[in-house]
Amino acid sequence: MATGGGLWRTDRLRALLRPGSTARAAVVAAVVAVALLSSAYALGRSLIPDRPRHSATGATGQLDGSHYADQPPADPTGPEQAGQEGRSASPSPTASDRAGDAVDETLFGAHVRTGDDRVALTFDDGPDPRYTPQVLAALRSHGVRATFCVVGEMAQSHPDLIQAIVADGHTLCNHSWNHDVTLGKRSPDQIRADLIRTNQAIRAAVPDAPIVWYRQPGGAWTYPVVSAARALGMAPLHWDVDPSDWEAPGARKIASTVLSQVGPGSIVLMHDAGGDRQGTVDALWQILPQLAARFELEALPTDTT
Ligand SMILES: [Zn+2]
């Protein structure tokens, strides 16, 4: 049964559309305007290339001779893949809402943003004697502090670099013993032992180093690996900006990707080891002055999870 309101609206519309009515002209003009705007919007959409998929999935990249690149495990059916795809397919949020929603439940609650407007740069897979000192020099030159997600066996081999990182005021993140992208599928005891061994290697260099973050290699999060990290006092750390620098696309490409995708609260993923990282180092000298002008850059905190 039609409601009185619906009938009223029909009658009113007929009155408006009556020939000769001045309102009719206005309605027709409005309809035409909406149609034109819709067409222009559709055309504009078609001209904009799809944003590159979030390379947390990194499925098409080459390893560049590295066994440390943050690519996902080979098994595309794992639950962490579904999680990453869900995350990857998300449209880029607007700048105004990026700082919120700091964790991503599809990534088992891993932090994807800092939680406020500050931007965090993170450097993974080191320390590496070829590139870590160059990254430290670039950061020092611009007065920027960052977070280094270090691999246990690299920390054991280069304790002096762990000390240099901490001495410059940067913060640390556990990135597993030997960058095992399938660590999350191992037993809880194996996972726990891997994370403890890595922290011990870091603390052999800097005994009182706070380590309150854990980043799973490849972003291949699982519930057991997140549980193990949390039980050891470490919060899971993901990212929301990934220039795929491990694919060595060149400094210009790395810089343009970071500068175009970063927003308030972004966590930027880069690498100071695991292959030829000169492009990342060179990109930093382009990125840092521009980012520092637009955002407050800060290392991830050591007093909160
Ligand atoms: Zn990594």
Side-chain angles (χ1 to χ4, degrees):
M1 173 179 169
T3 66
L7 289 171
W8 182 85
R9 282 196 295 271
T10 302
D11 289 346
R12 175 112 175 140
L13 190 60
R14 282 184 185 136
L16 287 172
L17 294 175
R18 189 180 306 132
S21 162
T22 51
R24 180 176 188 268
V27 169
V28 170
V31 168
V32 170
V34 167
L36 286 173
L37 285 171
S38 299
S39 301
Y41 177 73
L43 179 62
R45 292 273 298 181
S46 70
L47 291 175
I48 299 171
D50 286 343
R51 180 176 175 234
R53 293 181 70 79
H54 197 293
S55 38
T57 53
T60 59
Q62 297 298 312
L63 265 177
D64 190 34
S66 166
H67 67 293
Y68 276 169
D70 278 305
Q71 62 171 18
D75 176 8
T77 61
E80 67 280 8
Q81 284 298 300
Q84 285 193 45
E85 281 301 324
R87 159 105 196 106
S88 306
S90 301
S92 181
T94 61
S96 61
D97 66 12
R98 290 187 73 142
D101 194 19
V103 302
D104 188 328
E105 295 306 325
T106 69
L107 299 174
F108 303 94
H111 289 247
V112 293
R113 281 179 288 280
T114 63
D116 58 31
D117 284 349
R118 288 178 289 186
V119 168
L121 303 182
T122 62
F123 296 93
D124 284 20
D125 298 2
D128 182 302
R130 291 164 294 178
Y131 304 111
T132 304
Q134 295 189 69
V135 169
L136 290 174
L139 293 171
R140 194 182 310 123
S141 169
H142 293 86
V144 170
R145 287 182 297 184
T147 299
F148 287 76
C149 296
V150 301
V151 171
E153 63 180 11
M154 299 291 279
Q156 185 181 59
S157 298
H158 307 289
D160 55 318
L161 294 176
I162 298 293
Q163 293 162 0
I165 289 169
V166 172
D168 277 2
H170 306 296
T171 60
L172 296 169
C173 167
N174 181 323
H175 198 35
S176 85
W177 176 254
N178 61 358
H179 208 272
D180 181 359
V181 296
T182 64
L183 181 63
K185 294 182 176 179
R186 302 190 189 283
S187 75
D189 285 348
Q190 288 175 313
I191 296 170
R192 179 179 172 84
D194 185 293
L195 272 50
I196 289 174
R197 187 182 185 193
T198 301
N199 282 352
Q200 287 175 339
I202 295 170
R203 293 200 169 107
V206 181
D208 58 351
I211 310 167
V212 303
W213 300 100
Y214 173 74
R215 177 173 279 163
Q216 168 58 29
W221 298 103
T222 63
Y223 180 77
V225 83
V226 169
S227 297
R230 288 197 188 281
L232 293 169
M234 297 183 287
L237 176 63
H238 200 74
W239 58 83
D240 79 329
V241 174
D242 177 4
S244 295
D245 65 328
W246 57 272
E247 294 182 279
R252 184 187 299 265
K253 174 68 173 166
I254 295 168
S256 67
T257 301
V258 171
L259 291 170
S260 64
Q261 294 188 7
V262 71
S266 280
I267 297 173
V268 181
L269 171 66
M270 288 184 281
H271 296 81
D272 62 333
D276 181 354
R277 297 291 168 255
Q278 197 58 48
T280 299
V281 172
D282 294 344
L284 266 186
W285 289 94
Q286 302 174 36
I287 291 168
L288 286 171
Q290 297 189 52
L291 279 193
R294 291 167 58 192
F295 303 102
E296 183 179 352
L297 302 174
E298 189 53 279
L300 288 160
T302 58
D303 59 353
T304 182
T305 56

